């Protein structure tokens, strides 16, 4: 299906026929109504443009099915917090919604209210969700295909969260619509839709999960630091730096595979072990889980490292983010034979 704006001749193509009533051109901001198969001009948006990161008509595979982006909306609430929403439709007429705020993405779908239990808290599929906020939102800008006319009147909404999930309730014309959302990694979205200039993250997302128990991590580190600080002061002056092991892997061959290194020997007193990671990631990222295993005691130290490197050109300037190499230390490693395990 091809649509051409009658005001500026900008063309948008979809790979399937879409049932819609209104169309807003992303180029000239003209609003149209579909009348007997033809676009009938209504008016123009008055606010400034907010170019979408994902273009209308872009396709990507989500949850095992290909979806097409059919519209984009810029919203702001009564607290002056703003976010962007995308509607996606598959060729089988399934709907998904992508919301991004401060670089944090949430993938949502409509759910039937009969599955919502609101008694002493809000429950969905036996999971309790805590109220996060209530407010009123307003649509300021949009482009693409819609089944409703542009209307920037205030809409009441409610947000309930249980990271990495959330429940959103929108009350429009005294009718409530329920959405179930889930945090989705921005790197995944950038890859699926080939986003060249991703929105930079700011702070912690609404339902961004914590992958580690931070309290336990802090307790372990504090105890370890207290226990070995005195020993380090003594042994640091007697230690010398030496290379104990190095290796390289082809990520295309070892992706999602477990790799064990050869056994290597650490000699001398307790000392920090410095680990360098280098990868030729190019506008991409990688995550590697490591484990340092003592061959005699089987004592294992686990750690995870991410590498990401992005670059591009926008607003007349070249920009880069991240690095292709990183270094970190493991404190208080004893003498002995070790081998390394990693999962990339």
């Amino acid at each position: 299906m091809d649509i051409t704006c009658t005001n500026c001749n900008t063309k948008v193509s979809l790979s399937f026929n879409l049932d819609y009533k209104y169309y807003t051109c992303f180029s000239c901001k003209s609003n149209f109504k579909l009348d007997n198969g033809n676009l009938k001009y209504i008016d123009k948006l008055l606010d400034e443009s907010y170019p979408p990161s994902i273009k209308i008509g872009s396709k990507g595979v989500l949850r095992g099915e290909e979806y097409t982006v059919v519209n984009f909306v810029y919203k702001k609430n009564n607290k002056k917090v703003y976010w962007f929403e995308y509607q996606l439709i598959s060729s089988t007429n399934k709907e998904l919604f992508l919301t991004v705020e401060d670089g944090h993405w949430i993938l949502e779908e409509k759910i039937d209210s009969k599955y919502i239990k609101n008694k002493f808290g809000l429950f969905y599929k036996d999971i309790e969700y805590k109220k996060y906020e209530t407010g009123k939102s307003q649509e300021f800008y949009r482009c693409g295909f819609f089944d409703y006319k542009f209307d920037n009147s205030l809409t009441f909404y409610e947000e309930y969260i249980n990271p990495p999930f959330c429940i959103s309730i929108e009350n429009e014309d005294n009718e409530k619509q329920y959405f179930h959302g889930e945090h989705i990694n921005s790197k995944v979205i950038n890859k699926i839709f080939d986003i060249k200039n991703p929105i930079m993250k700011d702070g912690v997302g609404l339902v961004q999960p914590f992958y580690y128990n931070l309290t336990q991590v802090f307790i372990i580190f504090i105890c370890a630091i207290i226990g070995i600080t005195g020993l380090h002061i003594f042994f640091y002056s007697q230690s010398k730096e030496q290379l104990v092991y190095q290796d390289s892997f082809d990520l295309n061959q070892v992706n999602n595979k477990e790799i064990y290194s050869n056994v290597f020997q650490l000699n001398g007193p307790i000392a920090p072990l410095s680990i360098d990671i280098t990868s030729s990631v190019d506008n991409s990222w990688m995550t590697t889980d490591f484990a340092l295993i003592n061959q005699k005691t089987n004592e294992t130290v686990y750690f995870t490292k991410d590498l990401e490197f992005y670059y591009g050109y926008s607003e007349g300037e070249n920009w880069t983010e991240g690095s292709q190499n990183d270094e970190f230390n493991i404190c208080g490693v004893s003498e002995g034979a070790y081998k390394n395990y990693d999962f990339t």
Side-chain angles (χ1 to χ4, degrees):
M1 182 180 79
D2 296 330
I3 298 296
T4 301
C5 175
T6 58
N7 283 352
C8 68
N9 293 323
T10 299
K11 183 179 179 180
V12 175
S13 297
L14 299 180
S15 58
F16 58 92
N17 291 324
L18 177 68
D19 184 18
Y20 70 99
K21 297 179 181 178
Y22 296 90
Y23 173 71
T24 300
C25 176
F26 67 88
S27 179
C28 67
K29 301 190 294 183
S30 297
N31 292 314
F32 297 91
K33 179 180 180 180
L34 188 63
D35 187 10
N36 293 324
N38 298 312
L39 293 179
K40 182 180 179 181
Y41 176 77
I42 302 175
D43 53 22
K44 280 192 175 184
L45 299 176
L46 299 179
D47 291 310
E48 59 181 306
S49 296
Y50 299 88
S53 299
I54 310 174
K55 294 181 179 180
I56 306 302
S58 297
K59 294 185 290 186
V61 176
L62 291 163
R63 297 179 177 176
E65 188 166 350
E66 186 178 75
Y67 285 82
T68 300
V69 177
V70 297
N71 65 50
F72 164 79
V73 177
Y74 166 83
K75 287 185 177 181
K76 186 184 295 185
N77 66 11
N78 50 318
K79 299 177 183 178
K80 307 302 181 183
V81 176
Y82 68 90
W83 63 91
F84 306 102
E85 296 179 0
Y86 298 85
Q87 183 183 9
L88 300 85
I89 296 180
S90 71
S91 58
T92 57
N93 210 33
K94 293 181 181 178
E95 283 185 311
L96 288 177
F97 301 87
L98 277 172
T99 300
V100 57
E101 180 182 339
D102 294 330
H104 302 278
W105 292 84
I106 297 176
L107 180 63
E108 295 183 300
E109 62 179 342
K110 284 185 180 180
I111 57 176
D112 196 317
S113 60
K114 68 181 182 181
Y115 298 112
I116 299 291
K117 308 298 182 183
N118 200 344
K119 185 178 182 180
F120 306 112
L122 189 143
F123 289 82
Y124 175 67
K125 293 186 176 180
D126 297 324
I127 298 177
E128 183 179 6
Y129 291 79
K130 303 292 185 181
K131 179 176 284 189
Y132 177 76
E133 73 171 3
T134 60
K136 295 181 179 179
S137 65
Q138 188 176 12
E139 185 176 310
F140 280 87
Y141 174 81
R142 73 177 191 176
C143 61
F145 304 88
F146 299 85
D147 58 6
Y148 64 93
K149 185 179 180 181
F150 176 76
D151 182 6
N152 62 355
S153 59
L154 293 173
T155 300
F156 180 78
Y157 71 90
E158 302 173 66
E159 292 282 359
Y160 296 81
I161 65 172
N162 187 340
F165 305 110
C166 66
I167 298 291
S168 300
I169 306 173
E170 294 185 2
N171 193 338
E172 188 173 354
D173 297 329
N174 295 321
E175 181 180 349
K176 288 187 176 182
Q177 291 185 324
Y178 293 81
F179 301 85
H180 180 257
E182 179 180 2
H183 169 83
I184 184 168
N185 195 303
S186 60
K187 297 172 184 176
V188 174
I189 295 298
N190 294 339
K191 181 179 180 180
I192 289 175
F193 293 101
D194 193 25
I195 300 177
K196 302 300 184 183
N197 298 307
I199 301 174
M200 296 296 102
K201 290 183 181 179
D202 184 17
V204 179
L206 175 65
V207 288
Q208 181 178 350
F210 290 98
Y211 294 103
Y212 305 99
N213 187 321
L214 295 183
T215 301
Q216 292 182 5
V217 172
F218 287 143
I219 292 175
I220 292 172
F221 271 103
I222 290 173
C223 292
I225 290 172
I226 294 174
I228 64 178
T229 296
L231 293 174
H232 280 184
I233 294 175
F234 174 77
F235 288 119
Y236 278 167
S237 60
Q238 303 181 42
S239 301
K240 64 178 181 179
E241 186 174 336
Q242 57 180 318
L243 177 64
V244 295
Y245 183 80
Q246 67 177 3
D247 205 347
S248 61
F249 307 99
D250 186 340
L251 289 180
N252 293 322
Q253 297 180 4
V254 302
N255 188 29
N256 290 324
K257 294 182 179 179
E258 297 180 353
I259 303 172
Y260 288 89
S261 71
N262 297 327
V263 176
F264 55 91
Q265 186 71 32
L266 296 180
N267 299 315
I270 296 176
L273 178 65
S274 178
I275 300 175
D276 295 290
I277 302 176
T278 301
S279 176
S280 57
V281 288
D282 187 355
N283 261 333
S284 186
W285 63 279
M286 62 166 285
T287 297
T288 304
D289 296 317
F290 291 92
L292 182 66
I293 306 171
N294 188 308
Q295 296 298 284
K296 182 178 180 180
T297 65
N298 209 34
E299 182 180 358
T300 305
V301 180
Y302 298 95
F303 41 95
T304 300
K305 202 63 183 175
D306 295 336
L307 281 182
E308 59 180 90
F309 181 67
Y310 294 92
Y311 59 88
Y313 181 85
S314 62
E315 298 181 0
E317 294 183 356
N318 291 309
W319 60 269
T320 61
E321 181 184 14
S323 176
Q324 292 180 322
N325 56 76
D326 204 350
E327 178 184 356
F328 60 100
N329 295 324
I330 303 177
C331 298
V333 180
S334 303
E335 181 180 26
Y338 291 82
K339 69 178 179 179
N340 178 61
Y341 153 88
D342 79 69
F343 180 80
T344 304

